[in-house]
């Protein structure tokens, strides 16, 4: 069972009795032509190719394939969005998700010829997975906010819901969170001098990353697999690059620019710490950590890369994290400030109609 660190995607495996929360094919003997088997034959052959390896940037094609696959449409998923839906999805479409993850990994690593090549590409792979989780929670939650006046659908399952992995004969649980667990990839998958853990073999780190991505994708599908209108989200949250003044304050009070000392993060963090819900503090910690690493990404960085990427990615920039963090506080409440009632996490899922968005015929 993969339980090396709290907050990682649960990959419980038992020799005799498996929990089936991750497709068993991830842990079977590697097929001769499997992605990791082919990688093994390339590792440690030569380090000189790392200097000439073609640059690749995330284009979020995996998110598009998950969104467009006919097996993951509302009609195919049915109306159930309960906790048990995750386990049933693993049983019914786990192999499909596994195949999509392997396809994604091969696109990143197909031209690598050494361990140095793979390490270099691993940076971009982790970046795509982490940003993908934030896009799922943030853009998906904004799209699925509904028309009742709710500013944001802060889905507890997509952001901080623990995955319960019960091993037969043991009364224990391993926590994993789509957004909050993302920060662990920075020290467990990527080499880091700040990591408290020993660096595990490269093939094991690739297995962890693939399993983590498959687990996160299955949870997002189980919550409704909502569309991801990035351009509309960015247009609607343009003011999130600045922090609104603390309450009480007149409507005309100026906002604090993102470039000001502390920017909006100072206010966000203070209110998250004061909030009685501990999960909010963990979520904001994750958003702030990710912004520290990737907050300088400029619009256009993810553009290009050919067809098949997620539409609207060209507008993505490092303000994604502060936009989503402030929306989350809008939903749960700015606890440090007077005059603000406290809300709660949402559990109704990302319900949408297939009429909202056409389904791709790529897999039909």
């Amino acid at each position: 069972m993969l339980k090396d660190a709290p907050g990682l995607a649960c990959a419980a495996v038992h020799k005799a009795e498996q929990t089936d929360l991750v497709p068993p094919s991830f842990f079977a003997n590697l097929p001769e032509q499997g992605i990791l088997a082919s990688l093994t034959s390339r590792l440690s052959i030569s380090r000189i190719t790392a200097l000439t390896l073609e640059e690749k940037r995330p284009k979020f094609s995996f998110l598009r394939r998950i969104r467009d696959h006919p097996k993951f449409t509302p009609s195919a998923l049915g109306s159930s969005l309960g906790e048990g839906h995750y386990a049933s999805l693993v049983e019914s479409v786990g192999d499909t998700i596994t195949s999509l993850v392997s396809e994604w990994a091969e696109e990143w690593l197909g031209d690598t010829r050494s361990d140095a090549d793979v390490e270099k590409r691993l940076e971009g792979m982790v970046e795509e997975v982490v940003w993908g989780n934030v896009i799922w929670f943030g853009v998906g939650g904004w799209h699925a906010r509904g028309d009742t006046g709710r500013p944001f659908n802060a889905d507890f399952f997509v952001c901080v819901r623990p995955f319960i992995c019960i091993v037969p004969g043991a009364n224990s649980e391993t926590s994993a969170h789509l957004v909050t667990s993302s920060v662990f990839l920075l020290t467990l998958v990527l080499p880091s001098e700040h990591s408290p853990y020993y660096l595990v073999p490269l093939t094991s780190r690739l297995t962890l990353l693939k399993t983590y991505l498959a687990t996160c994708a299955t949870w997002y599908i189980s919550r409704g697999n909502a569309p991801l209108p990035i351009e509309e989200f960015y247009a609607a949250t343009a003011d999130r690059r600045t922090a609104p003044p603390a309450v009480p304050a007149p409507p005309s009070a100026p906002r604090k620019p993102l470039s000001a000392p502390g920017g909006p993060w100072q206010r966000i963090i203070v209110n998250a710490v004061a909030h009685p819900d501990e999960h909010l503090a963990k979520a904001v910690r994750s958003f702030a950590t990710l912004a520290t690493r990737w907050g300088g990404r400029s619009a256009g960085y993810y553009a290009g890369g050919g067809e098949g990427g997620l539409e609207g990615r060209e507008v993505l920039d490092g303000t994604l994290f502060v936009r989503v963090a402030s929306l989350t506080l809008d939903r749960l409440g700015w606890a440090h400030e007077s005059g603000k009632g406290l809300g709660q996490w949402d559990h109704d899922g990302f319900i949408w109609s297939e009429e909202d968005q056409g389904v791709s015929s790529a897999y039909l």
Side-chain angles (χ1 to χ4, degrees):
M1 179 176 179
L2 293 181
K3 55 179 181 178
D4 300 271
L8 288 181
C10 174
V13 174
H14 192 275
K15 282 291 185 180
E17 300 173 281
Q18 296 173 329
T19 63
D20 290 334
L21 290 181
V22 172
S25 57
F26 264 111
F27 304 95
N29 292 330
L30 294 174
E32 184 176 352
Q33 299 302 320
I35 177 63
L36 289 180
S38 63
L39 277 174
T40 303
S41 65
R42 297 198 290 262
L43 297 180
S44 301
I45 295 175
S46 169
R47 294 182 178 272
I48 60 173
T49 58
L51 299 176
T52 58
L53 191 67
E54 178 187 358
E55 181 188 17
K56 283 189 178 180
R57 294 180 180 180
K59 60 179 184 178
F60 308 104
S61 56
F62 180 79
L63 271 63
R64 180 171 180 168
R65 289 169 184 156
I66 292 295
R67 182 203 65 192
D68 290 350
H69 203 290
K71 288 186 178 180
F72 311 145
T73 61
S75 58
L77 293 172
S79 59
S80 174
L81 292 177
E83 295 182 50
H85 199 201
Y86 173 86
S88 65
L89 276 174
V90 171
E91 182 176 354
S92 62
V93 297
D95 288 340
T96 300
I97 296 173
T98 299
S99 177
L100 291 175
V101 170
S102 294
E103 180 181 344
W104 169 81
E106 180 61 33
E107 288 180 350
W108 272 102
L109 302 172
D111 61 346
T112 58
R113 293 296 178 268
S114 70
D115 50 356
D117 285 351
V118 176
E119 291 283 10
K120 184 175 181 180
R121 285 285 169 78
L122 205 55
E123 292 271 352
M125 295 172 72
V126 168
E127 183 173 351
E128 182 164 0
V129 171
V130 171
W131 280 67
N133 278 356
V134 178
I135 291 170
W136 270 334
F137 173 67
V139 181
W142 176 82
H143 173 82
R145 66 195 182 281
D147 56 4
T148 61
R150 176 173 57 176
F152 181 65
N153 184 341
D155 191 83
F156 188 54
F157 293 81
V158 176
C159 189
V160 297
R161 172 62 179 160
F163 303 160
I164 306 302
C165 300
I166 303 176
V167 179
N171 293 320
S172 61
E173 59 183 51
T174 299
S175 296
H177 316 275
L178 267 68
V179 171
T180 58
S181 66
S182 296
V183 294
F184 291 100
L185 298 179
L186 306 183
T187 54
L188 287 176
V189 176
L190 297 179
S192 171
E193 60 182 14
H194 304 296
S195 174
Y197 313 108
Y198 292 108
L199 188 64
V200 299
L202 181 56
T203 52
S204 298
R205 286 184 280 135
L206 285 168
T207 301
L208 172 60
L209 183 60
K210 290 177 60 184
T211 306
Y212 177 85
L213 177 57
T215 304
C216 292
T218 307
W219 269 104
Y220 189 70
I221 294 168
S222 75
R223 301 305 296 154
N225 195 20
L228 302 169
I230 295 176
E231 292 188 42
E232 291 89 340
F233 170 84
Y234 262 70
T237 58
D239 63 331
R240 301 295 167 159
R241 292 171 294 180
T242 59
V247 176
S252 59
R255 287 174 173 261
K256 186 177 183 180
L258 183 64
S259 58
W265 284 112
Q266 186 177 56
R267 181 178 179 232
I268 288 172
I269 292 172
V270 167
N271 279 276
V273 170
H275 203 286
D277 190 310
E278 63 181 15
H279 298 291
L280 177 61
K282 291 190 291 184
V284 169
R285 174 202 62 185
S286 299
F287 289 130
T289 299
L290 301 177
T292 299
R293 188 180 184 98
W294 289 300
R297 288 283 188 252
S298 59
Y301 179 84
Y302 299 110
E307 298 181 358
L310 186 62
E311 306 91 341
R313 66 187 184 279
E314 63 275 3
V315 306
L316 284 173
D317 64 12
T319 65
L320 173 68
F321 307 106
V322 74
R323 292 170 191 254
V324 179
S326 64
L327 284 173
T328 305
L329 277 166
D330 276 357
R331 181 68 181 116
L332 272 75
W334 299 78
H336 185 66
E337 300 167 7
S338 60
K340 289 279 187 179
L342 300 185
Q344 59 186 358
W345 295 98
D346 295 297
H347 295 79
D348 55 322
F350 293 169
I351 303 297
W352 63 286
S353 167
E354 289 180 45
E355 297 178 357
D356 295 341
Q357 176 179 315
V359 179
S360 172
S361 60
Y363 298 99
L364 296 177

